[in-house]
Amino acid sequence: MSPPIDMNRFEQIRASGDLPSPKGVALSVIQLTRQQDVSIAELARVISGDPAFVGRLIKAANGLVALSRRPVVSVQEALMVLGLPAVRTMVLGFSLLSNYRHGACRNFDYNRFWSASLATALATQVFAERSRAAAADELFSVGLLSRVGELALATLYPGDYEGVLDAARQPGAPALPELEQAQFALSHHELTHAMLADWGLPRIFVDVVGHVEEPEAADYAEGARSRALLQTLVAGRCVAEICVSDESARPALMPQLFAEGGRLGFERDCLISDCERVVRLWVEWGALLQLDQKTPPSFAELAAMESAVIIPPPGQAAGETRNPPDANGAPEHVRLPLSSGHTPRVLIVDDEPRTRANLRGVLEQGGYEVYEAGNGRQGMEQALELQPQMMILDWNMPEMSGPDLVRALRQTRIGQTIYMILLTHRGDEEHLVEAFDAGADDFIAKPLRPRVLAARLRAGLRVVRLQQELEREHEEIRHFAAQLAVTNRRLQEAALTDALTGFPNRRYAIDRIQQEWTAAMRWGRPLACMIIDLDNFKQINDTYGHDVGDDVLRSAADALRGALRGQDVICRTGGDEFLAICPETDLPRALTCAERLRAALDRLSLSAGEVKLQISASIGVAMRESRMADVDALMKQADLGAYLAKQKGRNCVATVQRTEPGADGGAAAS
């Protein structure tokens, strides 16, 4: 269940008329899409009145089409790709962004809000392509609007909300929702939930958004669609937070992203590949929407940074988290690694300055890049920051002994690859065993002999280089796997698209109509389909050649695309045959729609040399009935309707099912 909402309070707020709401062309589009019989051509005409919406919708559509098909260049094509539900919420989101990018609440960062919302939208869309939780275009809109309650409070109560935001930043302050609840009797996530419900978003999306700030409180069953949706949106928010955070704070946010990706079942490399794609889209969209964005993150570089395990200082229990930020805002255990150079880095950790000086002389003479630390704790911090290839550690040091430092470093990813040599005054067997049990790679007894030390360093360097070569090979494999995953996705998209018309192909059509059949059965909703068979197409092909035949098919596809309703899906299932799937449509309405498609084709005229070719189609229509065993029975009825239309002289609409008296389409009673 979603969080409880004080609906009386929401009704009072809505009655004030100050809630963020769509305006102008966006409002017209939203009102128009509520009509069942609105055509794509009519929608395109209204949207074309706002050039900004045109560009944004076309870009959104091009983010979803297969790379093998031609780009979307018109509003009608964009509407066909996106579908009616996505267009409605997308236009709503873009309208709010255009009209509420500035405001009177001084503590509310409007630019950061929209940058984060955009990143959430894009990340949720990209992740949805992999998680299959919902249609990617719909989740773009959900992500864009998932924090709209914050914007609403800043718009409704700019002065009061400014104070609430200021109070939330104070040390030890209650959480922001608690402060909002105390001030306004409604928190921002409750207001988001109520606004999305009021705007008519599907209930499943509204409920999921209501839980996104506290996902652990949701009682969704494992494997449920709602749970997958929630996890997809939470992962999208993690990406957005990294995008809008300062560069120094980003590494600390990566563990949560990996955790959320793991809950979705994403492989680490695929997750990074998806995040890099999100960043590219975020930069492009940011320029289009004129947002002032931060320097985009490199998720590949951030993934290389691992959080380290720190030995707790005195007075802090093991496992207790106390990681105060450094001067740049990054937690103490997260540091940016130095770029890997050709000169090996060696860190000396010894509390005796004379020993450090002797070691430095030997190392610098050997061409090493040398760093020093005076005790074990300093050595730990510098090792995590510098990421040396090798370390030389004294056994007995204040605060942390050499073996303890080795053990602590071996618990971190960075420390696992460092070649460590322990120094001691004792060379007995007991010490030797203890050193290797702690995780040391080598052991040298004092006093130091420079030639022996140099030889052991050279031997260690060979091991380091082998490790680096192995890591490079692993990186190449990971990169190849990520590229392969992208290629597989592109091939899958191409396999579902008809290259000539740009419509989905037969394989997609069968899967989609089966999905709609299942939904119609579950919810008791009507479902209709049409078989559209072009008249005399074989004769055109045989007489004028396949080039003319291809032109006929492309022109017919464009005409059908323009006349189709926003909620319908049309696919090319054969040479001259198309299948239109009409969810939530009864037989009379389906016949009306079919007649509009027939008329659109009938108006077409193409030239083949000096000859004018007329294009027409015979369309069979059928609606799901309770007596039908499966989706094949529905398609068989539509096919019989098309055959009946051919018998009646072509260029007409027919059905073999019984219709109400006066229904359009030239129906024949069964």
Side-chain angles (χ1 to χ4, degrees):
M1 294 295 292
S2 301
I5 302 170
D6 186 344
M7 292 307 297
N8 291 330
R9 177 62 177 142
F10 175 68
E11 291 298 334
Q12 293 171 3
I13 292 174
R14 185 172 63 173
S16 71
D18 294 327
L19 273 175
S21 58
K23 295 178 173 61
V25 170
L27 184 59
S28 300
V29 170
I30 292 170
Q31 291 171 343
L32 199 58
T33 54
R34 288 173 177 163
Q35 302 175 20
Q36 284 199 1
D37 294 328
V38 62
S39 70
I40 286 182
E42 191 175 2
L43 264 178
R45 180 183 59 78
V46 174
I47 290 174
S48 296
D50 189 325
F53 283 156
V54 170
R56 294 166 189 177
L57 288 178
I58 289 176
K59 180 165 184 60
N62 277 318
L64 295 171
V65 299
L67 297 180
S68 60
R69 94 173 229 184
R70 63 185 176 88
V72 172
V73 295
S74 70
V75 177
Q76 289 194 7
E77 286 181 293
L79 295 174
M80 183 68 192
V81 169
L82 294 169
L84 191 64
V87 168
R88 181 167 52 237
T89 50
M90 203 171 286
V91 168
L92 170 61
F94 288 147
S95 174
L96 296 181
L97 193 155
S98 296
N99 292 291
Y100 297 91
R101 62 168 64 239
H102 304 291
C105 185
R106 287 179 295 181
N107 278 346
F108 187 76
D109 190 336
Y110 293 86
N111 184 80
R112 189 183 195 277
F113 169 82
W114 284 116
S115 289
S117 297
L118 176 62
T120 303
L122 293 166
T124 307
Q125 172 185 295
V126 169
F127 291 162
E129 294 174 9
R130 192 182 298 277
S131 70
R132 304 292 182 184
D137 47 358
E138 290 186 277
L139 283 191
F140 176 95
S141 305
V142 173
L144 192 65
L145 297 170
S146 64
R147 297 172 51 189
V148 73
E150 298 176 39
L151 177 69
L153 288 176
T155 302
L156 290 164
Y157 313 108
D160 292 337
Y161 201 47
E162 183 179 321
V164 168
L165 293 174
D166 187 57
R169 296 189 182 109
Q170 303 306 313
L176 179 60
E178 294 180 37
L179 296 172
E180 293 168 339
Q181 191 74 41
Q183 180 71 33
F184 310 114
L186 203 67
S187 67
H188 70 263
H189 57 265
E190 291 173 338
L191 187 51
T192 296
H193 183 279
M195 291 173 70
L196 297 186
D198 187 55
W199 285 333
L201 267 70
R203 179 62 183 270
I204 187 171
F205 294 150
V206 175
D207 287 346
V208 164
V209 169
H211 284 299
V212 74
E213 304 225 3
E214 295 182 350
E216 63 280 355
D219 56 356
Y220 300 136
E222 191 70 37
R225 183 188 178 209
S226 296
R227 188 180 186 88
L229 280 169
L230 178 59
Q231 290 170 340
T232 302
L233 189 54
V234 170
R237 281 202 171 190
C238 290
V239 175
E241 188 61 28
I242 292 170
C243 286
V244 300
S245 293
D246 293 335
E247 292 183 54
S248 57
R250 286 168 174 169
L253 303 173
M254 289 297 290
Q256 184 183 359
L257 174 61
F258 286 132
E260 299 301 337
R263 292 187 181 96
L264 284 166
F266 291 177
E267 294 291 336
R268 179 187 176 100
D269 294 322
C270 291
L271 177 63
I272 295 304
S273 175
D274 283 350
C275 290
E276 293 287 2
R277 179 183 167 200
V278 170
V279 169
R280 291 193 296 272
L281 292 170
W282 185 60
V283 171
E284 294 173 8
W285 273 100
L288 179 67
L289 300 174
Q290 299 179 324
L291 294 173
D292 183 15
Q293 295 172 311
K294 287 186 176 291
T295 302
S298 169
F299 282 88
E301 292 181 7
L302 289 171
M305 305 174 193
E306 294 290 335
S307 297
V309 178
I310 299 295
I311 300 299
Q316 178 177 332
E320 183 182 354
T321 302
R322 290 186 192 171
N323 296 316
D326 63 9
N328 295 319
E332 191 174 58
H333 66 284
V334 179
R335 296 289 187 271
L336 297 175
L338 298 179
S339 299
S340 180
H342 296 293
T343 304
R345 293 186 299 278
V346 180
L347 175 62
I348 303 168
V349 188
D350 197 307
D351 59 326
E352 298 178 1
R354 183 175 179 180
T355 302
R356 294 201 305 271
N358 290 338
L359 286 170
R360 173 179 282 276
V362 174
L363 292 168
E364 288 182 341
Q365 187 175 1
Y368 295 90
E369 186 179 341
V370 185
Y371 298 88
E372 297 180 21
N375 59 55
R377 191 166 301 283
Q378 291 177 7
M380 181 76 171
E381 292 174 355
Q382 289 199 43
L384 297 175
E385 180 176 354
L386 299 171
Q387 297 190 24
Q389 283 81 30
M390 308 179 74
M391 290 179 66
I392 302 174
L393 310 93
D394 190 26
W395 190 292
N396 296 311
M397 292 184 293
E399 298 195 37
M400 185 186 298
S401 70
D404 287 341
L405 176 55
V406 172
R407 290 188 190 95
L409 284 170
R410 291 304 190 206
Q411 295 179 59
T412 71
R413 183 179 177 86
I414 293 171
Q416 290 172 8
T417 60
I418 301 174
Y419 191 88
M420 302 189 202
I421 302 174
L422 273 172
L423 304 177
T424 182
H425 289 285
R426 296 171 56 186
D428 56 84
E429 183 177 320
E430 193 69 30
H431 255 50
L432 184 65
V433 171
E434 186 178 350
F436 288 121
D437 283 347
D441 295 290
D442 204 352
F443 177 98
I444 299 179
K446 293 182 178 180
L448 298 175
R449 289 175 289 176
R451 291 184 61 196
V452 173
L453 174 62
R456 290 202 156 154
L457 286 170
R458 288 194 297 273
L461 196 55
R462 286 195 294 271
V463 174
V464 169
R465 286 170 177 160
L466 287 172
Q467 288 176 337
Q468 290 178 339
E469 184 63 31
L470 185 62
E471 181 59 32
R472 277 193 293 270
E473 291 177 0
H474 286 167
E475 185 59 37
E476 289 176 3
I477 293 172
R478 288 194 291 268
H479 179 70
F480 176 75
Q483 293 274 16
L484 185 61
V486 171
T487 301
N488 286 339
R489 288 202 302 274
R490 291 175 180 172
L491 290 173
Q492 184 180 23
E493 291 171 348
L496 298 175
T497 304
D498 174 52
L500 180 65
T501 63
F503 282 158
N505 61 15
R506 180 178 181 82
R507 177 181 170 190
Y508 176 91
I510 298 304
D511 288 345
R512 180 60 180 267
I513 197 170
Q514 183 62 59
Q515 292 172 10
E516 297 295 347
W517 174 274
T518 302
M521 290 280 290
R522 180 182 298 121
W523 304 110
R525 294 171 178 167
L527 171 66
C529 74
M530 311 173 197
I531 299 292
I532 305 165
D533 197 346
L534 298 185
D535 296 328
N536 302 314
F537 180 74
K538 184 177 185 302
Q539 181 180 344
I540 294 173
N541 249 349
D542 293 344
T543 304
Y544 302 103
H546 290 286
D547 289 344
V548 173
D550 288 350
D551 287 342
V552 168
L553 286 171
R554 278 190 288 263
S555 298
D558 289 340
L560 292 171
R561 186 180 287 114
L564 201 68
R565 298 182 307 169
Q567 70 197 65
D568 301 332
V569 177
I570 191 164
C571 312
R572 184 185 176 198
T573 54
D576 61 345
E577 186 177 282
F578 299 86
L579 170 68
I581 305 167
C582 308
E584 301 192 29
T585 305
D586 58 18
L587 190 57
R589 288 188 180 278
L591 289 167
T592 301
C593 295
E595 177 58 29
R596 186 163 61 227
L597 297 178
R598 185 207 63 77
L601 292 172
D602 192 42
R603 288 192 293 268
L604 284 178
S605 178
L606 274 77
S607 297
E610 297 181 357
V611 179
K612 290 289 186 180
L613 299 178
Q614 293 299 127
I615 300 175
S616 64
S618 300
I619 304 179
V621 182
M623 183 186 77
R624 185 186 72 86
E625 296 176 338
S626 58
R627 61 183 175 83
M628 291 179 177
D630 52 31
V631 73
D632 290 336
L634 172 63
M635 295 176 66
K636 178 66 174 176
Q637 292 288 87
D639 203 37
L640 290 174
Y643 180 73
L644 178 60
K646 294 281 187 185
Q647 285 184 323
K648 294 172 65 177
R650 296 186 173 88
N651 194 20
C652 66
V653 175
T655 180
V656 296
Q657 293 175 299
R658 190 180 303 278
T659 60
E660 296 296 329
D664 294 333
S670 58

